[in-house]
Amino acid sequence: MTHDTGRDLRSSYARPATPADRLLDPFLSFMRMEAASGILLLACTVLALCAANSSLAPAWEAFWQHPFAVGPEGFELRKPLILWVNDGLMAIFFFLVGLEIKREMLAGELATPAQALPPVLAAAGGMAAPALIYLAFNLGRPSGIAEGWAVPMATDIAFALGVLSLAGDRVPLSVKVFLTALAIADDIGAVLAIALFYTADISLAALGVGFAGLAVAALGNALGVVRTLFYVLAGAVTWVAFLKSGVHATVAGVLLAFCIPARARATPGDLVRAGRRLLVAVENGAADGHLLADGHRHAAVEAMETAARHAAAPLRRLEHALAPWVAWGIMPVFALANAGVAVSADLLGGLGNPVTLGVAAGLFLGKQLGVLVAVWLPVKLGLARLPRDMTWRHVYGIALLAGIGFTMALFVAQLAYADPRTLDYAKVGILSASLVAGVCGWLVLRTAPSAPAVRSDTTVHSGTTVRPDAAMRPERGPAA
């Protein structure tokens, strides 16, 4: 169980438990587990595999391929349901990734060169080595095969941190922070690969409309607009334009995230002063009086809510609002739509297929090699040092966990392979390598010496993480 500062602050206001609380508490306790979103993701993966290998397979496939239209007649967008998941829901996932990247660059583990260098180097090595290993298996093969070089590059941080949490107190906080920062840098690389190498024919007119939508959002940021609806409307225009442009629509999610304001309308001092004044107004009424019958005190409570909202950065507010929807909705639905592989004799006979081998070796071996070398070399040369309490055993465990590809790897595979059979070979490589990497990483970290007096406060939200302590820190760096 993680230590969540924000949750502790919210729970400081106690109220009598209701029957609904007693019914929901077990479920909410599970949701607060660090590994919980990874468990749900794994369950959805197993369900998708079972459905794809049962008598329900034709109906399962037909369900995800069923066309679904949105918009008025004559202007509607009509796509199969699986593309609404991959192009629509995953744009929200990437929007959350973009918010987390921006926060880390402004006030987190990527805010200074000294903080950013070790995990960024580790991420770079962990992307380059898998890509090279994949190409070693597949370079020169028929067209469309070598394009999958980016499939084994990305790390699934939800699964990786979920496995990390199972090692308990043997993992110091510095290891979790390092893995989080590595995954953030890894996400940046994956987004760039999608934007630069996995695009169809580009419509410059549609792309221009998309960037105009981003410019409107950026202008709103510069003018101090903090209304969520404004950015939702600008984002909707941007998403549709990118969808029509040939550049993958999920890129719009990341770019829009960088237009979200990171500076609050009010300062913490403003909140304290307003809170003191409004608390006096609330205290002036009868101690046991009902707010419903006291308009003055009720107005003071509503003003306190407004003051608190103005003191919260829109970036943080959106990040916290979207995180549970991504972790408990979007990622499981993505797994249901994409993880199903029909295991046939033909597929099993092709386990030696270069695509399967390239993806599996890239994730399991390439990630280990790339991360270890990229961390060891700068430390050996005196250009960097390991974070406090982190040992080389921890680094090796991180390198193994980085081989859990899953969500992002499956997503890139959908973009890279046009042939369904090749896509199935890639999925087999992704699932098998992720399973082996997760088990081996857990074994390495589980047998590490216990970390003394570790306070763990990293909370899994989506493909990436949010640390509650960051919410209590003042934003550093330029407002954006």
Side-chain angles (χ1 to χ4, degrees):
M1 187 69 66
T2 59
H3 175 79
D4 189 330
T5 306
R7 187 167 61 248
D8 287 349
L9 287 173
R10 290 188 293 271
S11 64
S12 62
Y13 168 71
R15 59 177 176 82
T18 65
D21 291 332
R22 288 189 286 272
L23 287 173
L24 292 174
D25 274 349
F27 176 69
L28 295 176
S29 296
F30 171 77
M31 288 182 65
R32 287 192 289 265
M33 288 173 54
E34 192 169 28
S37 62
I39 293 172
L40 178 60
L41 203 56
L42 179 61
C44 290
T45 302
V46 172
L47 178 59
L49 287 169
C50 291
N53 291 278
S54 71
S55 58
L56 297 174
W60 183 262
E61 178 68 18
F63 172 76
W64 292 111
Q65 294 299 329
H66 184 73
F68 187 74
V70 172
E73 187 176 354
F75 297 94
E76 72 268 14
L77 282 175
R78 181 176 295 273
K79 288 177 171 291
L81 187 57
I82 190 171
L83 290 185
W84 281 110
V85 173
N86 293 345
D87 293 346
L89 292 183
M90 287 302 284
I92 301 174
F93 168 83
F94 277 91
F95 176 68
L96 180 60
V97 168
L99 292 176
E100 293 173 341
I101 290 172
K102 181 173 180 177
R103 175 177 49 78
E104 291 294 328
M105 294 176 68
L106 290 176
E109 303 307 322
L110 303 178
T112 66
Q115 289 175 297
L117 183 61
V120 166
L121 290 176
M127 289 186 286
L132 291 174
I133 287 177
Y134 179 88
L135 288 174
F137 280 93
N138 292 283
L139 195 62
R141 297 195 68 222
S143 176
I145 302 299
E147 281 77 356
W149 57 270
V151 172
M153 283 175 48
T155 296
D156 190 303
I157 191 59
F159 265 138
L161 277 176
V163 173
L164 193 67
S165 71
L166 298 178
D169 63 359
R170 296 180 183 275
V171 178
L173 177 61
S174 58
V175 175
K176 296 184 179 183
V177 171
F178 189 92
L179 179 57
T180 299
L182 184 157
I184 291 290
D186 193 282
D187 284 339
I188 295 173
V191 169
L192 288 175
I194 292 169
L196 297 176
F197 301 104
Y198 295 101
T199 59
D201 295 332
I202 295 178
S203 167
L204 294 180
L207 194 61
V209 173
F211 277 106
L214 290 172
V216 169
L219 180 61
N221 183 349
L223 295 176
V225 177
V226 296
R227 292 281 183 181
T228 302
L229 181 60
F230 172 81
Y231 295 99
V232 169
L233 295 175
V237 171
T238 301
W239 178 79
V240 172
F242 269 69
L243 189 66
K244 296 293 187 180
S245 73
V247 176
H248 202 275
T250 54
V251 177
V254 177
L255 294 178
L256 179 67
F258 278 81
C259 299
I260 302 300
R263 175 175 289 177
R265 179 183 295 182
T267 67
D270 295 332
L271 177 62
V272 170
R273 287 187 291 273
R276 286 172 177 164
R277 176 173 52 82
L278 294 168
L279 281 173
V280 170
V282 174
E283 288 174 344
N284 284 341
D288 57 351
H290 202 292
L291 284 180
L292 187 62
D294 191 335
H296 180 70
R297 294 171 70 202
H298 195 278
V301 172
E302 290 181 333
M304 290 173 65
E305 182 181 3
T306 301
R309 187 169 62 251
H310 288 172
L315 185 149
R316 295 289 301 186
R317 194 167 64 244
L318 272 174
E319 188 180 347
H320 282 195
L322 286 175
W325 290 98
V326 170
W328 301 101
I330 291 175
M331 291 176 66
V333 169
F334 175 82
L336 288 172
N338 293 279
V341 180
V343 181
S344 62
D346 177 51
L347 185 64
L348 291 175
L351 288 180
N353 184 280
V355 171
T356 302
L357 293 176
V359 169
L363 281 171
F364 185 67
L365 299 177
K367 283 289 185 180
Q368 290 184 59
L369 177 64
V371 171
L372 285 172
V373 171
V375 175
W376 176 81
L377 192 58
V379 171
K380 187 70 174 178
L381 295 175
L383 301 176
R385 58 177 181 153
L386 293 181
R388 182 182 177 184
D389 298 329
M390 186 186 291
T391 67
W392 285 107
R393 188 182 190 89
H394 292 133
V395 175
Y396 183 51
I398 287 175
L400 282 165
L401 294 184
I404 303 176
F406 202 74
T407 307
M408 193 72 82
L410 286 172
F411 183 78
V412 175
Q414 292 282 346
L415 302 178
Y417 304 116
D419 176 48
R421 176 53 61 181
T422 303
L423 178 59
D424 283 346
Y425 285 135
K427 288 181 179 180
V428 171
I430 292 167
L431 296 175
S432 58
S434 297
L435 176 62
V436 175
V439 171
C440 292
W442 176 78
L443 289 173
V444 167
L445 294 171
R446 190 72 183 86
T447 54
S450 296
V454 174
R455 178 177 66 84
S456 173
D457 56 7
T458 303
T459 303
V460 174
H461 276 310
S462 63
T464 51
T465 63
V466 175
R467 279 177 304 285
D469 64 303
M472 309 306 295
R473 297 194 303 255
E475 299 284 358
R476 298 197 304 271

PDB file of all heavy atoms in Angstrom, residues 275-304:
ATOM      1  N   GLY A 275      -9.256  31.614   2.831  1.00  0.00           N
ATOM      2  CA  GLY A 275      -9.756  30.564   3.705  1.00  0.00           C
ATOM      3  C   GLY A 275      -9.999  31.052   5.115  1.00  0.00           C
ATOM      4  O   GLY A 275     -11.032  30.730   5.721  1.00  0.00           O
ATOM      5  N   ARG A 276      -9.058  31.842   5.648  1.00  0.00           N
ATOM      6  CA  ARG A 276      -9.239  32.369   7.001  1.00  0.00           C
ATOM      7  C   ARG A 276     -10.475  33.263   7.083  1.00  0.00           C
ATOM      8  O   ARG A 276     -11.269  33.179   8.027  1.00  0.00           O
ATOM      9  CB  ARG A 276      -7.992  33.148   7.413  1.00  0.00           C
ATOM     10  CG  ARG A 276      -6.792  32.255   7.737  1.00  0.00           C
ATOM     11  CD  ARG A 276      -5.554  33.074   7.946  1.00  0.00           C
ATOM     12  NE  ARG A 276      -4.421  32.233   8.322  1.00  0.00           N
ATOM     13  CZ  ARG A 276      -3.155  32.619   8.283  1.00  0.00           C
ATOM     14  NH1 ARG A 276      -2.868  33.871   7.886  1.00  0.00           N
ATOM     15  NH2 ARG A 276      -2.193  31.802   8.634  1.00  0.00           N
ATOM     16  N   ARG A 277     -10.640  34.122   6.086  1.00  0.00           N
ATOM     17  CA  ARG A 277     -11.784  35.043   6.096  1.00  0.00           C
ATOM     18  C   ARG A 277     -13.098  34.282   5.990  1.00  0.00           C
ATOM     19  O   ARG A 277     -14.067  34.573   6.710  1.00  0.00           O
ATOM     20  CB  ARG A 277     -11.637  36.033   4.934  1.00  0.00           C
ATOM     21  CG  ARG A 277     -12.813  36.985   4.769  1.00  0.00           C
ATOM     22  CD  ARG A 277     -12.497  38.035   3.715  1.00  0.00           C
ATOM     23  NE  ARG A 277     -12.051  37.447   2.461  1.00  0.00           N
ATOM     24  CZ  ARG A 277     -12.884  36.969   1.523  1.00  0.00           C
ATOM     25  NH1 ARG A 277     -14.192  37.005   1.726  1.00  0.00           N
ATOM     26  NH2 ARG A 277     -12.408  36.472   0.408  1.00  0.00           N
ATOM     27  N   LEU A 278     -13.138  33.276   5.127  1.00  0.00           N
ATOM     28  CA  LEU A 278     -14.376  32.535   4.919  1.00  0.00           C
ATOM     29  C   LEU A 278     -14.686  31.595   6.079  1.00  0.00           C
ATOM     30  O   LEU A 278     -15.857  31.344   6.397  1.00  0.00           O
ATOM     31  CB  LEU A 278     -14.293  31.749   3.602  1.00  0.00           C
ATOM     32  CG  LEU A 278     -14.223  32.624   2.341  1.00  0.00           C
ATOM     33  CD1 LEU A 278     -13.856  31.795   1.127  1.00  0.00           C
ATOM     34  CD2 LEU A 278     -15.562  33.322   2.111  1.00  0.00           C
ATOM     35  N   LEU A 279     -13.641  31.075   6.721  1.00  0.00           N
ATOM     36  CA  LEU A 279     -13.868  30.227   7.891  1.00  0.00           C
ATOM     37  C   LEU A 279     -14.530  31.012   9.018  1.00  0.00           C
ATOM     38  O   LEU A 279     -15.367  30.486   9.755  1.00  0.00           O
ATOM     39  CB  LEU A 279     -12.551  29.618   8.374  1.00  0.00           C
ATOM     40  CG  LEU A 279     -12.043  28.412   7.581  1.00  0.00           C
ATOM     41  CD1 LEU A 279     -10.652  28.010   8.058  1.00  0.00           C
ATOM     42  CD2 LEU A 279     -13.002  27.221   7.721  1.00  0.00           C
ATOM     43  N   VAL A 280     -14.142  32.261   9.159  1.00  0.00           N
ATOM     44  CA  VAL A 280     -14.782  33.110  10.173  1.00  0.00           C
ATOM     45  C   VAL A 280     -16.273  33.236   9.881  1.00  0.00           C
ATOM     46  O   VAL A 280     -17.110  33.160  10.789  1.00  0.00           O
ATOM     47  CB  VAL A 280     -14.107  34.497  10.205  1.00  0.00           C
ATOM     48  CG1 VAL A 280     -14.913  35.457  11.081  1.00  0.00           C
ATOM     49  CG2 VAL A 280     -12.677  34.379  10.721  1.00  0.00           C
ATOM     50  N   ALA A 281     -16.603  33.403   8.582  1.00  0.00           N
ATOM     51  CA  ALA A 281     -18.019  33.527   8.214  1.00  0.00           C
ATOM     52  C   ALA A 281     -18.780  32.238   8.531  1.00  0.00           C
ATOM     53  O   ALA A 281     -19.931  32.273   8.966  1.00  0.00           O
ATOM     54  CB  ALA A 281     -18.137  33.855   6.724  1.00  0.00           C
ATOM     55  N   VAL A 282     -18.138  31.086   8.338  1.00  0.00           N
ATOM     56  CA  VAL A 282     -18.792  29.814   8.639  1.00  0.00           C
ATOM     57  C   VAL A 282     -18.945  29.630  10.142  1.00  0.00           C
ATOM     58  O   VAL A 282     -19.982  29.166  10.631  1.00  0.00           O
ATOM     59  CB  VAL A 282     -18.002  28.637   8.027  1.00  0.00           C
ATOM     60  CG1 VAL A 282     -18.604  27.300   8.458  1.00  0.00           C
ATOM     61  CG2 VAL A 282     -17.979  28.738   6.505  1.00  0.00           C
ATOM     62  N   GLU A 283     -17.916  30.017  10.912  1.00  0.00           N
ATOM     63  CA  GLU A 283     -17.945  29.835  12.364  1.00  0.00           C
ATOM     64  C   GLU A 283     -18.960  30.749  13.048  1.00  0.00           C
ATOM     65  O   GLU A 283     -19.425  30.465  14.151  1.00  0.00           O
ATOM     66  CB  GLU A 283     -16.563  30.100  12.950  1.00  0.00           C
ATOM     67  CG  GLU A 283     -15.557  29.001  12.618  1.00  0.00           C
ATOM     68  CD  GLU A 283     -14.151  29.347  13.094  1.00  0.00           C
ATOM     69  OE1 GLU A 283     -13.914  30.544  13.382  1.00  0.00           O
ATOM     70  OE2 GLU A 283     -13.316  28.436  13.181  1.00  0.00           O
ATOM     71  N   ASN A 284     -19.329  31.845  12.421  1.00  0.00           N
ATOM     72  CA  ASN A 284     -20.238  32.806  13.050  1.00  0.00           C
ATOM     73  C   ASN A 284     -21.659  32.269  13.201  1.00  0.00           C
ATOM     74  O   ASN A 284     -22.454  32.826  13.955  1.00  0.00           O
ATOM     75  CB  ASN A 284     -20.280  34.113  12.248  1.00  0.00           C
ATOM     76  CG  ASN A 284     -19.025  34.943  12.483  1.00  0.00           C
ATOM     77  OD1 ASN A 284     -18.322  34.735  13.479  1.00  0.00           O
ATOM     78  ND2 ASN A 284     -18.733  35.849  11.567  1.00  0.00           N
ATOM     79  N   GLY A 285     -21.999  31.231  12.473  1.00  0.00           N
ATOM     80  CA  GLY A 285     -23.337  30.661  12.595  1.00  0.00           C
ATOM     81  C   GLY A 285     -23.432  29.720  13.775  1.00  0.00           C
ATOM     82  O   GLY A 285     -22.455  29.461  14.493  1.00  0.00           O
ATOM     83  N   ALA A 286     -24.616  29.190  13.985  1.00  0.00           N
ATOM     84  CA  ALA A 286     -24.814  28.238  15.074  1.00  0.00           C
ATOM     85  C   ALA A 286     -24.008  26.977  14.819  1.00  0.00           C
ATOM     86  O   ALA A 286     -23.921  26.495  13.685  1.00  0.00           O
ATOM     87  CB  ALA A 286     -26.307  27.893  15.193  1.00  0.00           C
ATOM     88  N   ALA A 287     -23.406  26.421  15.866  1.00  0.00           N
ATOM     89  CA  ALA A 287     -22.508  25.278  15.729  1.00  0.00           C
ATOM     90  C   ALA A 287     -23.217  24.074  15.125  1.00  0.00           C
ATOM     91  O   ALA A 287     -22.627  23.304  14.365  1.00  0.00           O
ATOM     92  CB  ALA A 287     -21.914  24.909  17.087  1.00  0.00           C
ATOM     93  N   ASP A 288     -24.493  23.897  15.489  1.00  0.00           N
ATOM     94  CA  ASP A 288     -25.215  22.742  14.980  1.00  0.00           C
ATOM     95  C   ASP A 288     -26.236  23.119  13.910  1.00  0.00           C
ATOM     96  O   ASP A 288     -27.128  22.347  13.586  1.00  0.00           O
ATOM     97  CB  ASP A 288     -25.921  22.023  16.133  1.00  0.00           C
ATOM     98  CG  ASP A 288     -26.873  22.951  16.893  1.00  0.00           C
ATOM     99  OD1 ASP A 288     -26.825  24.164  16.621  1.00  0.00           O
ATOM    100  OD2 ASP A 288     -27.639  22.451  17.746  1.00  0.00           O
ATOM    101  N   GLY A 289     -26.120  24.345  13.386  1.00  0.00           N
ATOM    102  CA  GLY A 289     -27.067  24.793  12.372  1.00  0.00           C
ATOM    103  C   GLY A 289     -26.834  24.093  11.038  1.00  0.00           C
ATOM    104  O   GLY A 289     -25.709  23.736  10.692  1.00  0.00           O
ATOM    105  N   HIS A 290     -27.898  23.890  10.285  1.00  0.00           N
ATOM    106  CA  HIS A 290     -27.797  23.226   8.987  1.00  0.00           C
ATOM    107  C   HIS A 290     -27.507  24.265   7.915  1.00  0.00           C
ATOM    108  O   HIS A 290     -28.156  25.296   7.843  1.00  0.00           O
ATOM    109  CB  HIS A 290     -29.101  22.492   8.682  1.00  0.00           C
ATOM    110  CG  HIS A 290     -28.929  21.391   7.682  1.00  0.00           C
ATOM    111  ND1 HIS A 290     -28.627  21.622   6.356  1.00  0.00           N
ATOM    112  CD2 HIS A 290     -28.990  20.046   7.809  1.00  0.00           C
ATOM    113  CE1 HIS A 290     -28.523  20.485   5.714  1.00  0.00           C
ATOM    114  NE2 HIS A 290     -28.742  19.503   6.574  1.00  0.00           N
ATOM    115  N   LEU A 291     -26.523  23.963   7.059  1.00  0.00           N
ATOM    116  CA  LEU A 291     -26.141  24.923   6.019  1.00  0.00           C
ATOM    117  C   LEU A 291     -27.287  25.209   5.064  1.00  0.00           C
ATOM    118  O   LEU A 291     -27.371  26.291   4.484  1.00  0.00           O
ATOM    119  CB  LEU A 291     -24.936  24.382   5.237  1.00  0.00           C
ATOM    120  CG  LEU A 291     -23.576  24.468   5.909  1.00  0.00           C
ATOM    121  CD1 LEU A 291     -22.526  23.878   4.988  1.00  0.00           C
ATOM    122  CD2 LEU A 291     -23.228  25.902   6.249  1.00  0.00           C
ATOM    123  N   LEU A 292     -28.184  24.240   4.893  1.00  0.00           N
ATOM    124  CA  LEU A 292     -29.280  24.424   3.962  1.00  0.00           C
ATOM    125  C   LEU A 292     -30.168  25.603   4.349  1.00  0.00           C
ATOM    126  O   LEU A 292     -30.735  26.276   3.484  1.00  0.00           O
ATOM    127  CB  LEU A 292     -30.113  23.136   3.906  1.00  0.00           C
ATOM    128  CG  LEU A 292     -31.231  23.082   2.846  1.00  0.00           C
ATOM    129  CD1 LEU A 292     -30.629  23.196   1.449  1.00  0.00           C
ATOM    130  CD2 LEU A 292     -32.038  21.802   2.988  1.00  0.00           C
ATOM    131  N   ALA A 293     -30.226  25.861   5.660  1.00  0.00           N
ATOM    132  CA  ALA A 293     -31.099  26.940   6.142  1.00  0.00           C
ATOM    133  C   ALA A 293     -30.351  28.246   6.359  1.00  0.00           C
ATOM    134  O   ALA A 293     -30.940  29.232   6.809  1.00  0.00           O
ATOM    135  CB  ALA A 293     -31.772  26.506   7.455  1.00  0.00           C
ATOM    136  N   ASP A 294     -29.067  28.268   6.065  1.00  0.00           N
ATOM    137  CA  ASP A 294     -28.241  29.458   6.312  1.00  0.00           C
ATOM    138  C   ASP A 294     -27.547  29.843   5.005  1.00  0.00           C
ATOM    139  O   ASP A 294     -26.474  29.337   4.673  1.00  0.00           O
ATOM    140  CB  ASP A 294     -27.221  29.167   7.412  1.00  0.00           C
ATOM    141  CG  ASP A 294     -26.519  30.430   7.897  1.00  0.00           C
ATOM    142  OD1 ASP A 294     -26.445  31.393   7.112  1.00  0.00           O
ATOM    143  OD2 ASP A 294     -26.053  30.450   9.055  1.00  0.00           O
ATOM    144  N   GLY A 295     -28.174  30.713   4.243  1.00  0.00           N
ATOM    145  CA  GLY A 295     -27.637  31.098   2.938  1.00  0.00           C
ATOM    146  C   GLY A 295     -26.280  31.755   3.021  1.00  0.00           C
ATOM    147  O   GLY A 295     -25.414  31.540   2.163  1.00  0.00           O
ATOM    148  N   HIS A 296     -26.027  32.556   4.080  1.00  0.00           N
ATOM    149  CA  HIS A 296     -24.745  33.252   4.211  1.00  0.00           C
ATOM    150  C   HIS A 296     -23.603  32.267   4.400  1.00  0.00           C
ATOM    151  O   HIS A 296     -22.560  32.367   3.733  1.00  0.00           O
ATOM    152  CB  HIS A 296     -24.824  34.231   5.388  1.00  0.00           C
ATOM    153  CG  HIS A 296     -23.539  34.996   5.602  1.00  0.00           C
ATOM    154  ND1 HIS A 296     -23.102  35.963   4.715  1.00  0.00           N
ATOM    155  CD2 HIS A 296     -22.605  34.918   6.593  1.00  0.00           C
ATOM    156  CE1 HIS A 296     -21.943  36.461   5.142  1.00  0.00           C
ATOM    157  NE2 HIS A 296     -21.632  35.832   6.280  1.00  0.00           N
ATOM    158  N   ARG A 297     -23.793  31.317   5.309  1.00  0.00           N
ATOM    159  CA  ARG A 297     -22.725  30.330   5.556  1.00  0.00           C
ATOM    160  C   ARG A 297     -22.545  29.407   4.346  1.00  0.00           C
ATOM    161  O   ARG A 297     -21.423  29.005   4.015  1.00  0.00           O
ATOM    162  CB  ARG A 297     -23.055  29.508   6.799  1.00  0.00           C
ATOM    163  CG  ARG A 297     -23.042  30.334   8.091  1.00  0.00           C
ATOM    164  CD  ARG A 297     -23.582  29.527   9.254  1.00  0.00           C
ATOM    165  NE  ARG A 297     -22.669  28.473   9.640  1.00  0.00           N
ATOM    166  CZ  ARG A 297     -23.032  27.372  10.312  1.00  0.00           C
ATOM    167  NH1 ARG A 297     -24.317  27.197  10.622  1.00  0.00           N
ATOM    168  NH2 ARG A 297     -22.148  26.466  10.657  1.00  0.00           N
ATOM    169  N   HIS A 298     -23.630  29.049   3.696  1.00  0.00           N
ATOM    170  CA  HIS A 298     -23.528  28.185   2.509  1.00  0.00           C
ATOM    171  C   HIS A 298     -22.751  28.900   1.407  1.00  0.00           C
ATOM    172  O   HIS A 298     -21.926  28.288   0.704  1.00  0.00           O
ATOM    173  CB  HIS A 298     -24.916  27.801   2.016  1.00  0.00           C
ATOM    174  CG  HIS A 298     -24.907  26.651   1.053  1.00  0.00           C
ATOM    175  ND1 HIS A 298     -24.631  26.810  -0.283  1.00  0.00           N
ATOM    176  CD2 HIS A 298     -25.101  25.321   1.244  1.00  0.00           C
ATOM    177  CE1 HIS A 298     -24.674  25.641  -0.885  1.00  0.00           C
ATOM    178  NE2 HIS A 298     -24.961  24.710   0.016  1.00  0.00           N
ATOM    179  N   ALA A 299     -22.984  30.201   1.257  1.00  0.00           N
ATOM    180  CA  ALA A 299     -22.243  30.974   0.250  1.00  0.00           C
ATOM    181  C   ALA A 299     -20.760  31.006   0.585  1.00  0.00           C
ATOM    182  O   ALA A 299     -19.897  30.964  -0.316  1.00  0.00           O
ATOM    183  CB  ALA A 299     -22.806  32.391   0.169  1.00  0.00           C
ATOM    184  N   ALA A 300     -20.445  31.063   1.899  1.00  0.00           N
ATOM    185  CA  ALA A 300     -19.037  31.069   2.308  1.00  0.00           C
ATOM    186  C   ALA A 300     -18.368  29.738   1.960  1.00  0.00           C
ATOM    187  O   ALA A 300     -17.217  29.701   1.502  1.00  0.00           O
ATOM    188  CB  ALA A 300     -18.934  31.336   3.807  1.00  0.00           C
ATOM    189  N   VAL A 301     -19.088  28.641   2.168  1.00  0.00           N
ATOM    190  CA  VAL A 301     -18.538  27.326   1.819  1.00  0.00           C
ATOM    191  C   VAL A 301     -18.293  27.228   0.316  1.00  0.00           C
ATOM    192  O   VAL A 301     -17.258  26.722  -0.138  1.00  0.00           O
ATOM    193  CB  VAL A 301     -19.490  26.208   2.293  1.00  0.00           C
ATOM    194  CG1 VAL A 301     -19.025  24.852   1.758  1.00  0.00           C
ATOM    195  CG2 VAL A 301     -19.552  26.171   3.812  1.00  0.00           C
ATOM    196  N   GLU A 302     -19.235  27.712  -0.490  1.00  0.00           N
ATOM    197  CA  GLU A 302     -19.056  27.681  -1.944  1.00  0.00           C
ATOM    198  C   GLU A 302     -17.890  28.564  -2.371  1.00  0.00           C
ATOM    199  O   GLU A 302     -17.140  28.223  -3.299  1.00  0.00           O
ATOM    200  CB  GLU A 302     -20.340  28.143  -2.625  1.00  0.00           C
ATOM    201  CG  GLU A 302     -21.486  27.153  -2.499  1.00  0.00           C
ATOM    202  CD  GLU A 302     -22.735  27.629  -3.218  1.00  0.00           C
ATOM    203  OE1 GLU A 302     -22.902  28.863  -3.349  1.00  0.00           O
ATOM    204  OE2 GLU A 302     -23.523  26.772  -3.664  1.00  0.00           O
ATOM    205  N   ALA A 303     -17.711  29.696  -1.688  1.00  0.00           N
ATOM    206  CA  ALA A 303     -16.580  30.577  -1.999  1.00  0.00           C
ATOM    207  C   ALA A 303     -15.266  29.900  -1.668  1.00  0.00           C
ATOM    208  O   ALA A 303     -14.257  30.075  -2.365  1.00  0.00           O
ATOM    209  CB  ALA A 303     -16.720  31.895  -1.241  1.00  0.00           C
ATOM    210  N   MET A 304     -15.237  29.102  -0.574  1.00  0.00           N
ATOM    211  CA  MET A 304     -14.019  28.349  -0.224  1.00  0.00           C
ATOM    212  C   MET A 304     -13.687  27.336  -1.318  1.00  0.00           C
ATOM    213  O   MET A 304     -12.525  27.162  -1.691  1.00  0.00           O
ATOM    214  CB  MET A 304     -14.219  27.635   1.117  1.00  0.00           C
ATOM    215  CG  MET A 304     -14.269  28.563   2.317  1.00  0.00           C
ATOM    216  SD  MET A 304     -14.710  27.699   3.842  1.00  0.00           S
ATOM    217  CE  MET A 304     -13.307  26.611   4.026  1.00  0.00           C
TER     218      MET A 304
END
